């Protein structure tokens, strides 16, 4: 989930978001990505073409160098089209990750196709489309695994007491 974090601002007409917070931290980031996903297909005189359903304007970027800033992300991804927003992870578990939201869905697809595997600071970027349903399923699976581990631990303790 995205949340609101400090360090946000505007530079040269671009939204700079320096980080996202913990789940439940606020709704502005979730709304921005949700708006990006529901954007219109097409634009600017381009030939309309059918895109796969997982394609949307929000890209999820992993394996970024920790030193990468929002301006560097804009420089790398901006070559493929107008960017609406960049959100960089700033906490221990989100560092090296970012969300990049494009104005146009075709620009996002082009950037994802070309920048997956691109080398930045001796690290190869992993670029995919933001898919909240898959992330929710992964979170639910982690929660279930933790619940099973707790039940096993409680059963082991009960067995030790009884035996």
């Amino acid at each position: 989930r995205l949340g609101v974090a400090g360090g946000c601002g505007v530079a040269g007409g671009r939204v700079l978001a320096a980080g996202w917070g913990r789940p439940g931290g606020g709704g502005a980031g979730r709304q921005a990505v949700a708006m990006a996903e529901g954007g219109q297909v097409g634009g600017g005189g381009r030939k309309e073409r059918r895109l796969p359903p997982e394609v949307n304007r929000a890209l999820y970027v992993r394996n970024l160098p920790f030193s990468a800033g929002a301006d560097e992300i804009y420089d790398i991804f901006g070559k493929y089209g107008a960017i609406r927003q960049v959100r960089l992870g700033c906490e221990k578990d989100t560092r090296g990750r970012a969300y990049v939201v494009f104005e146009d869905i075709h620009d996002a697809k082009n950037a994802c196709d070309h920048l997956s595997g691109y080398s930045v600071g001796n690290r190869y970027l992993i670029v995919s489309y933001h898919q909240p349903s898959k992330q929710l399923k992964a979170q639910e699976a982690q929660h279930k695994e933790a619940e099973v581990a707790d039940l096993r631990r409680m059963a082991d303790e009960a067995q030790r007491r009884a035996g």
Side-chain angles (χ1 to χ4, degrees), residues 88-121:
L88 286 171
C90 60
E91 294 187 12
K92 182 180 177 184
D93 59 337
T94 60
R95 287 183 60 182
R97 301 176 189 173
Y99 286 96
V100 179
V101 181
F102 280 86
E103 293 286 340
D104 183 69
I105 195 167
H106 293 286
D107 294 338
K109 181 180 184 333
N110 194 20
C112 186
D113 292 345
H114 288 94
L115 291 176
S116 227
Y118 183 78
S119 179
V120 176

Side-chain angles (χ1 to χ4, degrees), residues 7-18 69-79 81-87 100-101 103:
C8 298
V10 176
R14 302 181 305 190
V15 177
L16 299 176
D71 285 332
E72 187 175 356
I73 302 299
Y74 270 106
D75 291 341
I76 294 167
F77 284 84
K79 296 173 184 172
I83 295 175
R84 174 174 291 185
Q85 184 180 50
V86 168
R87 297 183 68 81
V100 179
V101 181
E103 293 286 340

